[in-house]
């Protein structure tokens, strides 16, 4: 919406001081219309009328904050933005069509040719492709470093570094970065720190409290929570959100539709209880997986065996999140699974074992999404990270043996039985 120095502002809801995140998740938004609806209204309209030409001119010039055109102003979308900003503890938020379009908006709005990004090599595969390949074509260079090695981040800084980008925990390895340490590095060099908070959401982790400047979300995941729509958002200071980012979105149009905004807005109402229940299931599943003979290694921040367990518990309110990844031992016998010609026989053997476990499930949904109330299972090397080279995947720790499980709300006994079907029959 309009900048903070606007002469007229849209009304805000009035809350008692110190209300909790669970209350804001249900109540924040816009005041009700004169009709007095209790559930937030869905405004399906492309444009908005003005009382006269002079008012229209003032609104288009940002002299008066108002709803003008749904590409950049809509009441339903604003309700989602205000609610998410309140949960993250930031001044403002801007909604986008997807999580990837949020990253697109971030870089388009803040960087230019000749600028430099330092990014974790463990981020989502599409994020690596977008930063390295797409923005690389336009002169924005990205250096990828270890998610967990603070010194690598420090060593990668240049005079033209404008942005540090991290995803914590990472997808799918669940590596955890030290947000406060990265914020200190960024700010010492006049750069910004952006944190993708998709895995934890503000129900578990608030990066802004640890010094992050901008928070990225794929609302497609836990914010919606039921796999219904695509959505994205950036949370941060009003001067950035309603300054360069709004200017870019207004012209480029990576806009969240009002319907999708309404769906995710309603999803936020149950965010805290969903994250608590799914994280509890995930911890139990991770503990069970550690005891399975066919499992080589389990990656889950809530386990003491996780390399960044202590840091994760500090940053994530003592909760490990709802995503568990694990690697299986190689299958014995002949290799029958197909794969890229660049894969060795050993890598194909690992892929065959992972495919076997996935294919034996009957409850888990085989899909690369996450954040659903249904448990989802995928093979990252051939799906979410499938467009990367094997060298890039291995640098990020994503092997052919890895399986990622986004744990849902099913009974834990049913989930362990579903995975046991493949693990117990795996010939290792």
């Amino acid at each position: 919406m309009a900048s903070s120095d606007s002469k007229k502002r849209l009304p805000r809801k009035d809350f008692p001081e110190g209300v909790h995140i669970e209350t804001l998740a249900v109540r924040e938004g816009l005041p009700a219309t004169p009709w007095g609806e209790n559930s937030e209204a869905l405004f399906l309209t492309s444009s908005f009328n003005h009382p006269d030409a002079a008012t229209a001119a003032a609104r288009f010039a940002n002299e008066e904050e108002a709803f003008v055109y749904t590409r950049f102003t809509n009441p339903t979308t604003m309700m989602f933005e205000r609610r998410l900003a309140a949960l993250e503890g930031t001044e403002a938020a801007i909604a986008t069509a997807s999580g990837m379009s949020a990253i697109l908006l971030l870089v388009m709005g803040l960087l230019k040719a000749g600028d430099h990004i330092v990014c974790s090599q463990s981020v989502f595969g599409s994020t690596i492709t977008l930063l390295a390949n797409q923005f690389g074509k336009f002169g924005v260079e990205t250096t990828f470093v270890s998610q967990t090695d603070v010194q690598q981040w420090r060593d990668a800084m240049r005079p033209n570094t404008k942005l540090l980008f991290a995803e914590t925990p990472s997808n799918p390895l669940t590596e955890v970065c030290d947000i406060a340490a990265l914020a200190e590095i960024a700010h010492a060099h006049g750069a910004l720190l952006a944190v993708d908070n998709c895995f934890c959401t503000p129900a578990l982790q608030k990066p802004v409290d640890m010094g992050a400047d901008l928070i990225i979300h794929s609302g497609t995941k836990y914010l919606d929570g039921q796999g219904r729509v695509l959505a994205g958002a950036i949370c941060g200071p009003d001067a950035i959100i309603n300054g360069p980012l709004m200017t870019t979105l207004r012209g480029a149009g990576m806009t969240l539709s009002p319907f999708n905004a309404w769906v995710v807005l309603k999803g936020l109402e149950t965010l805290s209880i969903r994250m608590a229940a799914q994280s509890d299931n995930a911890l139990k599943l991770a503990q069970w997986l550690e005891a399975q003979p066919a499992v080589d290694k389990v990656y889950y921040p809530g386990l003491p065996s996780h390399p960044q367990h202590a840091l994760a518990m500090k940053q994530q309110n003592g909760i490990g999140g709802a995503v568990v990844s694990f690697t299986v031992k190689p299958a014995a016998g002949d290799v029958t699974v197909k794969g890229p010609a660049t894969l060795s026989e050993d890598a194909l053997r690992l892929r065959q074992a992972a495919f076997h476990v996935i294919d034996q499930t009957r409850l888990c949904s085989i899909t690369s999404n996450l954040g659903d109330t249904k448990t989802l299972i995928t093979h990252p090397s051939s799906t979410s990270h499938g467009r990367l080279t094997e060298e890039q995947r291995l640098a990020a720790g994503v092997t052919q043996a890895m399986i990622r499980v986004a744990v849902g709300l099913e009974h834990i006994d049913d989930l362990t039985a579903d995975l046991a079907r493949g693990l117990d029959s795996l010939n290792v």
Side-chain angles (χ1 to χ4, degrees):
M1 291 298 298
S3 61
S4 58
D5 61 354
S6 298
K7 296 179 181 179
K8 296 183 180 179
R9 302 284 285 178
L10 287 165
R12 299 197 68 98
K13 281 193 168 184
D14 184 26
F15 293 102
E17 185 177 352
V19 294
H20 294 81
I21 185 174
E22 293 83 0
T23 302
L24 293 171
V26 174
R27 295 287 181 176
E28 179 61 292
L30 282 171
T33 71
W35 298 110
E37 70 279 355
N38 185 53
S39 181
E40 291 80 6
L42 172 55
F43 289 87
L44 293 178
T45 180
S46 58
S47 63
F48 299 84
N49 296 326
H50 312 283
D52 51 60
T55 301
R59 291 173 175 176
F60 270 84
N62 284 344
E63 295 170 359
E64 177 179 338
E65 189 179 45
F67 301 108
V68 176
Y69 192 65
T70 288
R71 188 176 74 245
F72 57 98
T73 52
N74 179 279
T76 308
T77 307
M78 174 175 272
M79 284 188 277
F80 164 62
E81 292 168 337
R82 285 188 174 182
R83 183 170 292 181
L84 183 59
L87 299 186
E88 283 288 6
T90 60
E91 293 178 342
I94 188 167
T96 62
S98 67
M100 290 309 304
S101 66
I103 301 173
L104 175 69
L105 173 61
L106 174 75
V107 180
M108 284 185 64
L110 298 182
L111 276 62
K112 64 183 185 306
D115 287 341
H116 176 242
I117 302 170
V118 181
C119 180
S120 164
Q121 65 188 10
S122 302
V123 294
F124 179 48
S126 293
T127 302
I128 293 175
T129 301
L130 178 65
L131 296 181
N133 298 348
Q134 304 307 318
F135 279 108
K137 294 189 300 186
F138 299 104
V140 176
E141 186 179 355
T142 301
T143 299
F144 294 96
V145 297
S146 166
Q147 167 95 336
T148 59
D149 188 339
V150 174
Q151 189 59 46
Q152 283 196 27
W153 291 82
R154 189 175 290 112
D155 292 342
M157 299 299 290
R158 304 175 185 173
N160 61 334
T161 301
K162 303 298 182 184
L163 179 70
L164 277 66
F165 190 98
E167 173 188 295
T168 185
S170 66
N171 182 10
L173 216 61
T174 71
E175 289 184 331
V176 177
C177 71
D178 189 330
I179 298 174
L182 298 190
E184 183 179 352
I185 294 171
H187 300 158
H189 291 79
L192 297 171
L193 171 62
V195 173
D196 187 324
N197 200 25
C198 175
F199 268 38
C200 280
T201 80
L204 305 186
Q205 173 177 272
K206 289 188 178 181
V208 69
D209 291 345
M210 291 165 268
D213 302 289
L214 297 155
I215 315 303
I216 310 297
H217 275 288
S218 172
T220 312
K221 310 301 190 297
Y222 292 104
L223 301 190
D224 170 25
Q226 296 184 54
R228 298 169 292 191
V229 297
L230 298 182
I234 306 173
C235 304
D238 184 76
I240 293 177
I241 299 296
N242 291 314
L245 297 188
M246 176 55 73
T247 299
T248 302
L249 180 137
R250 183 169 180 165
M254 55 281 280
T255 309
L256 180 63
S257 75
F259 178 79
N260 288 13
W262 183 81
V263 170
V264 182
L265 178 73
K266 305 306 290 182
L268 289 176
E269 295 180 1
T270 59
L271 178 63
S272 292
I273 58 175
R274 283 188 287 105
M275 290 302 297
Q278 288 174 251
S279 296
D280 182 62
N281 255 0
L283 176 60
K284 293 174 181 175
L285 181 65
Q287 292 169 334
W288 177 83
L289 284 167
E290 278 199 316
Q292 302 312 302
V295 172
D296 186 43
K297 188 172 183 179
V298 181
Y299 301 84
Y300 181 68
L303 291 175
S305 59
H306 191 280
Q308 296 91 44
H309 172 70
L311 177 61
M313 295 301 94
K314 177 182 177 182
Q315 293 185 167
Q316 300 171 201
N317 295 327
I319 300 175
V323 176
V324 180
S325 293
F326 64 99
T327 53
V328 291
K329 295 177 181 178
D334 295 334
V335 176
T336 59
V337 71
K338 295 182 180 180
T342 54
L343 293 183
S344 65
E345 182 176 332
D346 288 342
L348 287 173
R349 198 175 295 280
L350 293 171
R351 173 182 279 218
Q352 180 166 302
F355 278 19
H356 173 82
V357 173
I358 293 170
D359 290 345
Q360 290 300 309
T361 60
R362 295 294 179 267
L363 289 179
C364 297
S365 301
I366 303 175
T367 177
S368 61
N369 193 26
L370 60 93
D372 204 308
T373 52
K374 300 177 179 67
T375 294
L376 315 178
I377 190 168
T378 192
H379 180 249
S381 288
S382 58
T383 58
S384 61
H385 291 64
R387 290 190 296 165
L388 302 182
T389 66
E390 184 70 356
E391 183 180 7
Q392 288 176 310
R393 284 190 288 265
L394 293 176
V398 181
T399 70
Q400 295 296 327
M402 179 166 286
I403 296 171
R404 190 196 73 192
V405 181
V407 184
L409 293 175
E410 301 93 344
H411 195 283
I412 185 59
D413 291 347
D414 296 329
L415 292 179
T416 55
D418 202 39
L419 286 168
R421 187 179 294 107
L423 290 171
D424 291 347
S425 60
L426 186 61
N427 183 20
V428 297

